[in-house]
Amino acid sequence: MNKDQLTDLLHQMTLTEKIDQLVMLDNSFFQKDAAITGPQVKLGISEDVIRNIGSAYNVIGADKVRKLQDEHMKNSRLHIPLLFCGDVIYGLKTVMPIPLGYSCSWDPETIEKGMSIVADEASASGIHTVFSPMLDLSRDPRWGRVMEGLGEDPYLASQIAASEIKGLQGNLDSHHVASCIKHFAAYGAAEGGRDYNSVDMSERKLRQEYLKPYQSAVQAGAKMVMPSFNTINGIPSTANKWLLKKVLEEEWGFHGVKVSDYAAIQELVYHGYAEDAYDAAEKAIHCGVNFDMKTSVYANYLQKDVEDGRVKEEEIDEAVMQILNIKNELGLFEDPYRQASVKEETARQYTEESRRTVKKLADESVVLLENHDVLPLNKNQKIALIGPMADSKGTLGMWAFNTDASRNRTLREELTERVGQENVKYAWGCDFVDSMDALGDIGKFFHPEAPRNLIEEKQKALEAADASDVIVFTMGEHAMQSGEASSRTDLSLPSCQMSLLHEFKKMRKPVVVLIYSGRPLLLQEAADNSDALLQVYWPGSEGASAVADVLTGKINPSGKLTMSMPRSMGQIPVYYSQLKTGRPLQGSGHTGKFVSKYLDCPNSPLYCFGYGLSYTDFTISQLSLDNPYMNKTEPLHAVIHIKNIGNCKGDTIVQLYIHDEAGTIARPVKELIDFKSITLEAGEEKDITFGISEEKLRYYDANMDYITEPGKFMLYAGLNSEECIETEFTYQL
Ligand code: BGC
């Protein structure tokens, strides 16, 4: 449709039809008995509204989508198609590693490809918009949703965010989808790491760090935005004018669609920010929130708001027009199914090529934390493969519930294929948790395993270990312990796992520990009691194959952490880009006691941002600049010399950081400004060049102007954020 036709359509709509267009309901509303027993009654929403709503979400499968769309088009007086949205976060059928995992690849290009698979598979099933990517920066591993995010760093997350949008949206043809970025904003900074909790943060920190990834996604053309559940400095995002109107629309030029998070408009009342639903509807629409997800607030109260003069009909018109626009951009008026069909699903889902891409991402996401001459495994060694993930297909993490996990392979199958049946002795050994209570209310349903005799199982594991040369032990947390509403206050490994590890240690055999988790856990004790330690997060559909390839040396690990791993709970939040304080641990005028530190724990994390080992070793040297001075028009060039000094080929990621020595506000000790991935043969060496332009140095100064202040900067290059070589330069006006 052209613009005039769209305007004409809008003009034909009654006020009720317009308001119904702003309603988004999930699959449960379209079941046979929904009207009698189900959600419809609970929400107090009429059948007329349901027949006319603008969008449905989490209706999965081309068949279902087509049926619902047909039915809807018949009922809709003006034949306005439904927009189908879905929680397809990192894979519908072929599943990537969880985002926290794939961010460790530092490979935006392959992530873009991965996201284009997500889009292709989702659109084959009739989904038009995915509620992804989640761009909430987080430095608090207590928060269970860190698994859906890209870690702690604004620069890296912004680079990946842009590639995620490109991959998902492409040219918005029928193989792509609209991306709804979430949760705007700063949802990851919930106080105490408790999900849905409030966020209090200076505007500077918000703009300088937390808003950056969303901004990058908006610049990359993200079509939709989901405001977050939390309050920011007292105001819930869903009705936060400053955030949704000033920053998002006026400053960033976003004119797409805003989708409330699940029941978030209703929750304005629970926040104590709206008096009742009538007030909540007014407040959300004033902020241009187009869709009311899963409540009847717009449906039942907006009309009255208009009649009472609290909301102008033009505001509703604007919100509806934006929805019609996205439907039009997606081509729904021409083809309301966008070619989705069972045939397309068969052709486009679980393809060999998709599996190859997610395998590559899984390979690149594994982070080698420790290796004391154990890995890669020698193919003639007898391996005891033990633990709750050793023979499990549950490699996917919380947000991948529409795939057929029975297609996944287990580590036991993959390893056996590589080293032979006679070399793998499997035992389950122990569970992820000491008690089912650790999984919370819903979690228990997702732990379908029949109860086992724990004493016998432990014994079998010890026997398998005893009869083997090396022990590979899969440890970590249960998949239902991370994700939404899965905050935790104790991130240590449970005693059922640790007691087994201690027994293995006593056997004086090499122990390799694999950590499956949706967040950084406390790994000191696991590191002390093992000979190699690998962080694999939830590695996706091809996860087992990737892990087996890493264990046996076909893949040399290259992943680098994107979230620091704490030594203890009391250290949280621990992240690399902190400020120095007036009494830094090193280099302060004070000695001993009176510096910024803990009495019982070092300041540094156990494993820092950017950290990850390889089966080879690299050295970096000679960080040189082409000029000790720079200004706005003349960028600097930094050259770094890197050499593979080990005896096999390897990939690594060279990271570039800055520190502004003095400014009108204090600046972080280090900030990532660039990175490059490099592959070197054994003994090979190379120079890598980075351009440093003035924009890379900018920050919000004391007046909140986004500028580069003149003065001295330190430049650091390293293979992680702690061990760097350095030089300095001066920025001049
Ligand atoms: C989550 C969103 C999700 C939505 C729809 C909410 O509870 O916060 O991330 O997209 O539900 O399922």
Side-chain angles (χ1 to χ4, degrees), residues 582-614:
R583 295 182 173 204
L585 188 58
Q586 264 117 35
S588 112
H590 300 271
T591 48
K593 184 170 173 61
F594 298 99
V595 292
S596 180
K597 67 171 173 30
Y598 301 102
L599 290 178
D600 55 358
C601 181
N603 285 3
S604 63
L606 183 60
Y607 303 110
C608 66
F609 174 83
Y611 173 85
L613 302 172
S614 156

Side-chain angles (χ1 to χ4, degrees), residues 265-266 269 274-282 297 301 305:
I265 299 184
Q266 175 78 56
V269 179
E275 282 171 22
D276 47 28
Y278 168 71
D279 193 24
E282 179 195 341
V297 172
Y301 297 94
D305 276 321

Side-chain angles (χ1 to χ4, degrees), residues 110-124:
T110 309
I111 293 170
E112 182 181 330
K113 266 199 206 149
M115 279 309 212
S116 70
I117 293 164
V118 173
D120 197 21
E121 291 194 345
S123 48

Side-chain angles (χ1 to χ4, degrees), residues 24-100:
M24 177 187 283
L25 296 174
D26 72 4
N27 191 31
S28 60
F29 287 80
F30 311 105
Q31 308 301 323
K32 249 204 264 127
D33 54 358
I36 314 147
T37 54
Q40 190 183 326
V41 179
K42 193 171 157 208
L43 230 58
I45 204 161
S46 78
E47 248 175 280
D48 276 352
V49 174
I50 296 179
R51 268 199 292 272
N52 272 306
I53 59 169
S55 172
Y57 74 99
N58 287 352
V59 179
I60 306 292
D63 235 4
K64 279 195 205 153
V65 165
R66 288 186 81 100
K67 254 189 227 142
L68 194 55
Q69 191 70 293
D70 282 340
E71 177 93 1
H72 181 81
M73 297 291 277
K74 256 192 267 147
N75 290 330
S76 162
R77 184 179 69 91
L78 296 166
H79 307 293
I80 304 175
L82 276 170
L83 178 78
F84 284 95
C85 304
D87 276 307
V88 185
I89 316 294
Y90 47 92
L92 181 71
K93 302 293 178 186
T94 313
V95 180
M96 301 199 274
I98 58 169
L100 182 61

Side-chain angles (χ1 to χ4, degrees), residues 57-58 87 131 145 148 182-183 187 226 229 261-262 293 399 484:
Y57 74 99
N58 287 352
D87 276 307
F131 297 139
R145 301 196 80 167
E148 298 166 60
K182 64 190 190 185
H183 307 87
Y187 181 37
M226 184 187 288
F229 285 126
D261 202 348
Y262 190 108
M293 187 199 289
W399 280 101
E484 186 170 352

